[in-house]
Amino acid sequence: MDTKRVLVAYGSKHGATAGIAEEIGATLRADGYDAAVLPARDVKDVEDYDAVVLGGSLYANRWHHSARRCARRNVEALGGRPVWLFSSGPVDSSAEQHDVPPVRGVARQMERLHAREHITFGGSITASTPGWVARYLVRHGEGGDFRNPERIQAWAHHIGAELAASP
Ligand SMILES: Cc1cc2nc3c(=O)[nH]c(=O)nc-3n(C[C@H](O)[C@H](O)[C@H](O)COP(=O)(O)O)c2cc1C
């Protein structure tokens, strides 16, 4: 049987979500998939892939614009293949403690794309994150890197297992 091809596409402003996408891609590769990791804005089409994982960071309760646009541009093709969505946001441990549901716009995308599942991962704002908001938060002790590689890997393994079970 041919190796299944999986696209992991992400919308990221300062790199935190890109890091999550890379972790998902590396885990899927370790599980035997041919996984490509691309910025969502560079995704022309998804025809070459058997499955897609699409993620974006959250800003003011909205998914990163390039993740939204990628979903819109490829709505038909995505609807015809297995799709998983993720968000990267909370700069605290809330995503570790309980399931953080998708924001309204992402919930709509889930329906539109018939996505199998959505997960929210903790995000990251550190001293190296550009912008005055980040600087302000870090200065007031509210930053941190809340991405948890083990949780990200566990979710990617779960995707791998579902893909292995589907025809
Ligand atoms: C101005 C600003 C607004 C943010 N708004 C939200 C939000 O509404 N919900 C949330 O969970 N996280 C929010 N965050 C946290 C980011 O989503 C988090 O830092 C994320 O990991 C950034 O990922 P990126 O570097 O890939 O863009 C916000 C961060 C900033 C700087």
Side-chain angles (χ1 to χ4, degrees):
M1 203 181 73
D2 282 347
T3 307
K4 282 184 182 156
R5 299 200 70 202
V6 185
L7 172 66
V8 185
Y10 62 87
S12 177
K13 199 165 170 186
H14 301 307
T17 314
I20 294 172
E22 292 292 351
E23 190 82 55
I24 294 170
T27 306
L28 286 169
R29 280 193 285 274
D31 284 353
Y33 294 97
D34 179 0
V37 181
L38 285 178
R41 65 170 176 274
D42 292 347
V43 175
K44 302 272 180 295
D45 64 63
V46 300
E47 304 293 339
D48 286 347
Y49 301 96
D50 300 299
V52 177
V53 181
L54 176 61
S57 41
L58 295 171
Y59 285 91
N61 278 325
R62 299 191 76 193
W63 226 21
H64 190 277
H65 55 89
S66 64
R68 291 202 308 268
R69 284 183 200 144
C70 180
R72 213 178 302 139
R73 273 197 313 277
N74 296 288
V75 63
E76 269 179 41
L78 288 169
R81 15 176 84 58
V83 169
W84 285 263
L85 305 183
F86 71 91
S87 302
S88 123
V91 188
D92 58 31
S93 59
S94 56
E96 300 282 308
Q97 285 155 10
H98 57 86
D99 177 50
V100 177
V103 297
R104 208 169 55 185
V106 177
R108 263 202 308 270
Q109 297 288 5
M110 284 197 72
E111 280 177 29
R112 223 175 265 151
L113 305 176
H114 312 295
R116 293 206 177 180
E117 213 174 280
H118 168 274
I119 190 168
T120 302
F121 292 117
S124 174
I125 292 179
T126 63
S128 60
T129 309
W132 68 268
V133 177
R135 245 186 342 265
Y136 178 89
L137 291 172
V138 170
R139 201 180 304 137
H140 290 81
E142 288 175 34
D145 187 348
F146 290 88
R147 295 170 299 172
N148 175 344
E150 275 142 41
R151 188 158 172 260
I152 297 164
Q153 287 158 14
W155 191 62
H157 283 311
H158 160 71
I159 291 173
E162 285 217 353
L163 280 173
S166 62

